[in-house]
Amino acid sequence: MSTAAGSGASAEMRAWAPDGLVEVGPGDDLVTLLCALFEAAAPGQRLMDGDIVVVTSKIVSKAEGRILAAADREQAITDETVRVVATRVHAGGITRIVENRLGLVMAAAGVDASNTAEGTVLLLPIDPDASARSMRAGLQERLGVRLAVVVTDTAGRPWRLGQTDITIGAAGLRVIDDLRGTADTFGRTLQSSMAAVADEVAAAAELVKGKATGRPVAVVRGLAHLVTDEDGPGARSVVRVGPDDMFASGSAEAYAQGWKDAAEGAACVGPSAP
């Protein structure tokens, strides 16, 4: 896959979230809205070759009509669930960690009840990679710049408190910087280093977008070596599936399944003969 001139880590990067994007609704043309946003920006914030445009999935979902009328989001979560990974009952209710139809494992299947009208919930885009490709093509054609587009959503991490943004859709970005086979500063060959640069870009952009600031779009500059000529494999390519998924069940669920398997095995074998 061809990349911009130069390779390796960048010594400096910049991120900002422009003000002025209008409220997005079903049927809106995001490319037109984004072009207006960037064309009205200050000269230093207008898009340049090598920039990465980071778009919160909420506005993509709104533009694509992924708004669902619902008294609560529980049925929507059930409908979006492919596999339950873990369920926990707590003082605030029930948390379900599930695999959704996009292959993402996250709380509530990515169904969101924030930043949407009362009585409605937002579902994730049908195909976030396709959404990113469409936005990239439109922005490049209209603005005459070579860039990448990523679509992000918020997710937790199994072993750490809090949430961070991850990339769920990508076009024109090297989503993984595979360093295996290269040498470290002491000349040793790296065996397993694969930098999740798409997720790192998403997290950096979230620092300037925020959750309640009305700035759902950000630009990350200084990482042109990660911007590719082709759209690339997208964010779906980094999802762990099958044998690569080492944590397919929650701890309590795995424990319960172990007891169930042991009991069924004992029943099949039966008592030892005298």
Side-chain angles (χ1 to χ4, degrees):
M1 182 176 293
S2 57
T3 64
S7 61
S10 174
E12 180 178 331
M13 58 171 280
R14 176 186 173 204
W16 70 91
D19 281 313
L21 186 70
V22 300
E23 180 65 25
V24 177
D28 283 347
D29 184 343
L30 273 183
V31 170
T32 296
L33 296 180
L34 292 174
C35 284
L37 178 70
F38 293 125
E39 288 171 340
Q45 294 188 350
R46 292 175 185 168
L47 291 184
M48 297 172 51
D49 284 350
D51 284 347
I52 304 170
V53 177
V54 184
V55 182
T56 302
S57 63
K58 282 186 178 67
I59 65 169
V60 179
S61 294
K62 288 179 178 180
E64 295 180 355
R66 300 286 288 161
I67 304 170
L68 180 69
D72 61 54
R73 62 177 184 164
E74 294 306 313
Q75 185 58 49
I77 294 170
T78 299
D79 293 341
E80 291 291 294
T81 295
V82 172
R83 174 175 61 91
V84 176
V85 174
T87 300
R88 295 293 181 272
V89 179
H90 48 82
I94 299 175
T95 296
R96 286 187 277 171
I97 307 298
V98 305
E99 178 188 342
N100 65 20
R101 54 182 179 72
L102 297 173
L104 300 169
V105 175
M106 52 177 45
V111 178
D112 201 340
S114 64
N115 293 309
T116 185
E118 190 70 27
T120 65
V121 296
L122 285 175
L123 309 181
L124 290 177
I126 293 175
D127 186 343
D129 282 327
S131 301
R133 291 193 296 269
S134 177
M135 284 187 284
R136 183 194 191 214
L139 289 172
Q140 289 191 143
E141 180 181 0
R142 297 270 291 273
L143 300 178
V145 291
R146 178 178 179 273
L147 48 79
V149 172
V150 300
V151 178
T152 67
D153 196 45
T154 302
R157 286 89 38 86
W159 299 284
R160 299 183 71 83
L161 293 175
Q163 297 82 34
T164 186
D165 267 23
I166 63 171
T167 294
I168 66 169
L173 184 72
R174 194 191 320 162
V175 291
I176 292 287
D177 196 9
D178 191 346
L179 303 176
R180 293 173 298 178
T182 63
D184 67 10
T185 54
F186 291 91
R188 289 187 292 262
T189 301
L190 299 175
Q191 302 294 329
S192 59
S193 296
M194 299 172 66
V197 291
D199 286 346
E200 292 173 330
V201 166
E206 174 58 18
L207 291 174
V208 294
K209 286 188 298 180
K211 292 296 180 190
T213 59
R215 297 195 301 269
V217 178
V219 179
V220 175
R221 178 171 293 168
L223 303 176
H225 63 287
L226 299 175
V227 176
T228 62
D229 293 330
E230 302 85 5
D231 285 332
R236 187 67 184 255
S237 66
V238 304
V239 176
R240 288 186 184 272
V241 295
D244 290 334
D245 184 359
M246 299 173 65
F247 310 100
S249 299
S251 57
E253 288 73 18
Y255 187 79
Q257 184 64 46
W259 275 105
K260 180 175 181 292
D261 290 345
E264 290 176 350
C268 290
V269 173
S272 299

